[in-house]
């Protein structure tokens, strides 16, 4: 069967096609002038380097899989160049504490190893960071709630390559290095060796995204993809895999992707190298998180129309392979909760028949319990209930029975922000208007900005709304 | 070397000896009249069945390892009898969806399989349930915060037995059944097959606890021990291991050890069989939790003595192998936090030399990243700070960056209770007196009982202390 007819028969979702893109005007004068991009992506760090998220509604509307047009991007610097005709000759190494060091090309990777295709959600550790920046400026730029995307990744399980290289006793970490040269050296980081060797974890050396060669922004020609962990570990433009006794000493491994203790201020952090180097504070697994996508920010719904309810909906994800097992919605600031419906499109891939292949890789999901992807949740709420509520908040619980917290855990890099996601309901003439916490980058809007402008204390654990007579012992919440 | 001299050389903790015990008077008229026990254990369900926790201070004082005298016990009914001389002949099966069903004796288990010895903390899913019962009565008895204990367990990794039995394709679960006959059949439950096959998970068929044959309350002659998961999965008096396509349909698997959604009331739950049967709500991994052990409940410390600080300390644990990476203490109800020190005695076992054995089992910990055990934390706090605070609260964060929540997640079985642990500070003449949230079983005492008696609303998320002028929108916290 040709690939299109076999795709028609699939029991699981396939990605939306990506569009024909061109180099954007704003990229012409940057080192990325060779990279074609979609103009809908929202730039979070000025023009360059390219750090972008899609509009949250566009992301949600595209469904379970996101094509390269809308997939979020986190680049630390210029995008390394690799022309189509050079892809197969791109070389990388497996070296360090191994008995059999390997230098191989992408050609070898394709020819000598069994390929797999998995759906994997990548999430930036900074997803939802704008909310942290509203409370207190962190050392990081302002992601909204769309710093995540899901694609079908095809490649080789990294455990196969490591087994071939034969790690020595005492080896415990696997360092990765990319081709992106930055002010503090090539980008690099590491994972634990055990995790790389564990088939349940699903770490890949990937060369296809949604069935196509990797887009330059996503690591062309090859990259690491780590399910369930923060995007910062999924090194792009891969050049080196180095087996070591200790975690990576790369600058970006130490000074990025960490959650320092909340009492460490940005000022103090400048003089605490031992705190930065403490692996306890390094982020690997994602924490559980969720967001409301609809109602969207600024959306208005009439209260006098024919609809008597609204379908509130959004996404959620766990970390380290954990499944989200419940989503709950409160309209009274946590006093009572309603149970939402959860939908896991990832489960459709588990139903693929044994031996099924896609894009040249086995869809090897049926035996695996771990979850690699986001899920969707929804709940019909009577309009009457929305009319009498101040806000909608949601929280996820994962299969380990850990629940998203009410309180923000602020930290100096502003990462892993996961308190209850709150959308405020504004009552207007015969309609309700909805406010998300923030808008990404420097975009204005959101209840956090409004509250802050009005002098509210966003760090008070009560969403800072109109405190009156506030002192150490009195909290008065806003009236509807 | 004989065992005593080899034990002297160990780099890791060894258990305190257990004492000579006898059958207690209260057990004489029960079916457990053959079981010798320590009188210090606090009975949580009347005289029989035997469900007990040690006094929290005694547990903490015994250190990392707990001997059988003080190890918590959760028995659903009478303890099955197995005389010393019958132990080796005790038979059990590995059956179900396997190509090679096995019936074997404990003698075979010892003779034919490699043995390992691991330190493992077992925790009852009901640990800290008394706090839930104070907020709203659940369908479960009142554990305090001492429903956990750590021992050295010796046995055979269950993956070795399963591999020998050769599970068939489609097999996904492993059911266990004990010899304890109960009103709803033999006690039984299940784990996922993947987890049983994963050496990182460390699931054992164990026959020794702290180097001795199992005490009757702990499963004599053999039991399952599952690190990182709730005690209810670690089936005692093991008779059957059954490989299946579906989770266990045993009554105790379905109607126990679940966290139903918080809005399900005890009354409603009686008519919701499909909710009970939904595996989403079954508990496997523990959630992250912590408690303050010192100051103890009722402890008084002088404010005028020579000490200018107090060493606040306690325990913490993660679930599913996750490590606790930070412990934080607040004296101002979460407005600010101090970082405590964490000590992981489990790490000492990782330092054991390759090939090291204990109690006839390999101490096979060096290569494993997962954590099987509790840890200890401590923080010196100036007395002046304690004198000006209302309470001490602590929270743990795990390596997945999930933090214990401020809010209790109440559920119908009252399990997995893990909000910030709170000790109230009472100011008395030249001294401070400390109140824990509760005391176990029907024992009076604790700030929750006091607050409830005074008409406080424990479900308000503010520890219910002396609310004045309370209505939907005004919260006034207590004055010092």
């Amino acid at each position: 069967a040709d690939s299109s007819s076999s795709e028609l028969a699939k029991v699981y979702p396939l990605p939306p096609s990506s569009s024909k893109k061109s180099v954007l005007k704003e990229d012409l004068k940057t080192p990325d002038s060779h990279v074609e991009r979609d103009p809908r992506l929202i730039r979070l760090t000025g023009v360059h380097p390219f750090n972008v998220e899609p509009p949250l509604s566009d992301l949600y509307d595209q469904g379970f899989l996101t094509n390269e047009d809308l997939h979020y991007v986190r680049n630390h610097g210029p995008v390394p160049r690799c022309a189509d005709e050079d892809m197969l000759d791109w070389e990388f190494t497996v070296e360090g504490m191994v008995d059999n060091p390997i230098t191989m090309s992408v050609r070898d990777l394709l020819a000598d190893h069994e390929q797999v295709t998995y759906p994997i959600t990548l999430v930036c550790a900074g997803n939802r960071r704008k909310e942290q920046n509203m409370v207190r400026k962190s050392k990081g730029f302002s992601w909204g709630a769309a710093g995540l995307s899901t694609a079908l990744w095809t490649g080789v399980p990294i455990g196969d390559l490591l087994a071939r290289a034969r790690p020595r006793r005492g080896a415990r970490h696997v360092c990765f290095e990319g081709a992106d040269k930055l002010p503090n050296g090539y980008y690099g980081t590491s994972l634990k060796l055990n995790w790389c060797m564990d088939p349940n974890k699903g770490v890949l050396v990937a060369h296809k995204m949604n069935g196509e060669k990797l887009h330059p922004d996503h690591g062309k020609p090859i990259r690491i993809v780590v399910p369930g962990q923060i995007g910062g570990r999924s090194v792009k433009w891969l050049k080196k895999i180095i087996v070591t006794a200790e975690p990576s000493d790369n600058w970006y491994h130490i000074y990025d992707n960490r959650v320092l203790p909340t009492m460490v201020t940005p000022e103090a952090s400048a003089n605490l190298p031992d705190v930065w180097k403490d692996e306890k504070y390094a982020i690997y697994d994602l924490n559980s998180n969720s967001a409301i996508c609809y109602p969207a920010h600024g959306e208005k719904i009439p209260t006098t129309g024919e609809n008597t309810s609204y379908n509130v909906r959004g996404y959620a994800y766990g970390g380290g392979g954990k499944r989200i097992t419940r989503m709950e919605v409160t309209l009274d600031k946590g006093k009572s909760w309603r149970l939402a419906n959860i939908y896991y499109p990832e489960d459709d891939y588990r139903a693929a028949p044994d031996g099924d292949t896609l894009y040249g890789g086995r869809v090897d999901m049926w035996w695996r319990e771990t979850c690699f992807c986001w899920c969707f949740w929804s709940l019909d709420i009577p309009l009457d209930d929305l009319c009498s509520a101040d806000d909608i908040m949601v929280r996820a619980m994962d299969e380990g029975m850990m629940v998203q917290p009410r309180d923000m855990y602020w930290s100096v890099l502003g990462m892993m922000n996961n308190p209850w996601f709150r959308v405020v309901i504004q009552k207007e003439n015969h309609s309700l208007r909805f406010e998300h916490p923030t808008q990404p980058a420097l975009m204005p809007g959101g209840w956090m900005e409004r509250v802050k402008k009005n002098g509210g204390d966003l760090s008070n654990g009560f969403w800072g709304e109109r405190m009156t007579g506030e002192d150490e012992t009195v909290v008065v919440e806003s009236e509807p």
Side-chain angles (χ1 to χ4, degrees), chain A:
Chain A
D2 67 86
S3 91
S4 60
S5 69
S6 69
E7 287 181 17
L8 280 175
K10 298 302 187 189
V11 296
Y12 42 72
L14 292 170
S17 309
S18 54
S19 63
K20 175 98 186 108
K21 292 176 287 294
S22 54
V23 175
L24 300 178
K25 202 171 145 193
E26 53 264 59
D27 288 321
L28 285 175
K29 292 190 174 165
T30 77
D32 292 351
S33 58
H34 57 110
V35 185
E36 299 176 339
R37 291 165 172 158
D38 189 296
R40 288 173 293 176
L41 293 168
I42 300 164
R43 296 191 190 222
L44 307 171
T45 53
V47 173
H48 184 82
F50 193 63
N51 292 295
V52 294
E53 68 178 79
L56 183 60
S57 300
D58 291 355
L59 177 72
Y60 184 87
D61 293 347
Q62 207 172 64
F64 176 64
L65 296 170
T66 307
N67 65 24
E68 65 182 27
D69 301 357
L70 287 180
H71 198 292
Y72 88 89
V73 179
R74 172 78 180 98
N75 290 343
H76 289 76
V79 174
R81 287 171 189 259
C82 176
D84 283 359
E85 58 271 24
D86 297 331
M87 284 178 61
L88 291 176
D89 294 320
W90 178 280
E91 286 195 334
F92 68 103
T93 56
V94 187
E95 56 182 289
M97 293 176 71
V98 295
D99 281 337
N100 180 39
I102 303 170
T103 298
M104 68 192 297
S105 66
V106 172
R107 183 178 290 105
D108 302 330
L109 184 77
L110 295 172
D112 300 346
H113 294 274
E114 194 177 23
Q115 312 291 316
V116 295
T117 298
Y118 304 149
I120 295 169
T121 298
L122 291 175
V123 185
C124 184
N127 192 32
R128 295 184 63 192
R129 186 194 278 129
K130 176 81 171 263
E131 296 168 54
Q132 296 238 334
N133 282 339
M134 293 305 296
V135 168
R136 177 177 189 167
K137 207 172 157 5
S138 76
K139 293 176 135 192
F141 57 86
S142 289
W143 291 96
L148 77 171
S149 310
T150 305
L152 290 165
W153 294 94
T154 301
V156 175
I158 194 170
D160 296 357
L161 301 183
L162 290 167
R164 214 181 115 196
R166 296 201 304 275
R168 296 197 188 124
R169 172 156 184 167
R172 305 190 68 145
H173 299 268
V174 182
C175 301
F176 306 121
E177 199 175 281
D180 43 338
K181 187 145 196 211
L182 306 170
N184 293 293
Y186 291 102
Y187 185 82
T189 182
S190 60
L191 295 182
K192 289 185 182 168
L193 175 59
N194 273 352
W195 295 351
C196 290
M197 301 305 292
D198 183 350
N200 281 296
K201 297 274 187 190
V203 182
L204 299 183
V205 177
H207 52 81
K208 277 186 193 164
M209 172 180 165
N210 291 330
E212 297 172 32
K213 64 178 182 285
L214 301 189
H215 183 280
D217 279 328
H218 297 296
K220 184 184 182 188
I222 54 168
R223 70 175 300 176
I224 299 293
V225 180
V226 188
Q229 299 200 349
I230 56 165
R233 307 292 168 221
S234 290
V235 170
K236 300 191 279 195
W237 314 294
L238 180 71
K239 290 301 291 179
K240 290 183 184 176
I241 299 173
I242 313 165
V243 177
T244 56
E246 300 296 329
S248 171
D249 61 1
N250 187 288
W251 191 92
Y252 298 92
H253 184 75
I254 292 167
Y255 293 103
D256 200 356
N257 294 317
R258 306 227 156 193
V259 177
L260 298 198
T262 188
M263 69 292 296
V264 176
T265 62
E267 299 72 34
S269 74
N271 298 305
L272 295 170
D274 291 344
V275 173
W276 284 106
K277 286 174 186 163
D278 191 333
E279 270 278 301
K280 280 203 301 285
Y281 304 134
I283 314 166
Y284 293 98
D285 290 356
L286 290 159
N287 56 8
S288 297
N289 210 341
S290 62
I292 297 170
C293 297
Y294 287 102
H297 178 70
E299 182 173 342
K300 278 190 191 189
I301 57 173
T303 52
T304 50
E306 58 188 22
N307 291 328
T308 58
S309 71
Y310 184 94
N311 188 243
V312 177
R313 55 204 190 275
Y315 71 76
Y317 56 85
K322 283 197 301 297
R323 194 180 182 91
I324 295 299
T325 49
R326 74 194 78 182
M327 278 298 303
E328 291 168 322
V329 180
T330 181
L331 299 181
D332 57 8
K333 297 188 164 65
K335 289 187 190 72
S336 68
W337 296 87
R338 302 168 192 220
L339 194 64
N341 303 301
I342 298 179
Y343 172 46
Y344 255 99
E346 178 177 1
D347 289 340
D348 295 343
Y349 298 85
R350 302 185 203 274
D354 199 10
D356 181 53
T357 62
L358 181 68
Y359 310 140
R362 275 187 302 121
V363 181
D364 182 28
M365 298 288 289
W366 70 269
W367 56 274
R368 188 176 282 116
E369 314 285 356
T370 39
C371 285
F372 290 174
C373 296
W374 64 347
C375 65
F376 300 115
W377 60 267
S378 68
L379 181 67
D380 275 324
I381 301 185
L383 280 191
D384 285 350
D385 294 354
L386 292 178
C387 287
S388 56
D390 295 334
D391 47 28
I392 312 170
M393 285 191 272
V394 295
R395 67 179 181 190
M397 184 187 274
D398 63 39
E399 63 179 306
M401 305 293 167
M402 290 298 281
V403 66
Q404 282 183 253
R406 176 196 293 257
D407 298 77
M408 174 182 288
Y409 191 94
W410 187 92
S411 72
V412 72
L413 292 181
M415 289 172 159
M416 305 293 268
N417 185 52
N418 75 335
W420 305 345
F421 193 91
R422 177 175 185 248
V423 169
V424 167
I425 306 172
Q426 297 288 356
K427 318 294 161 46
E428 301 186 341
N429 278 344
H430 307 299
S431 69
L432 303 176
R433 185 173 53 79
F434 297 93
E435 270 187 318
H436 279 220
T438 66
Q439 289 289 278
L442 303 176
M443 292 167 65
W447 61 263
M448 296 187 85
E449 182 186 68
R450 177 175 50 74
V451 168
K452 200 171 182 176
K453 274 187 188 157
N454 292 345
D457 174 10
L458 287 170
S459 68
N460 72 356
F462 302 94
W463 312 283
E465 293 232 294
R466 270 191 282 160
M467 307 304 230
T468 60
E470 187 176 3
D471 62 35
E472 278 277 308
T473 55
V474 181
V475 174
V476 179
E477 294 180 15
S478 68
E479 297 289 332

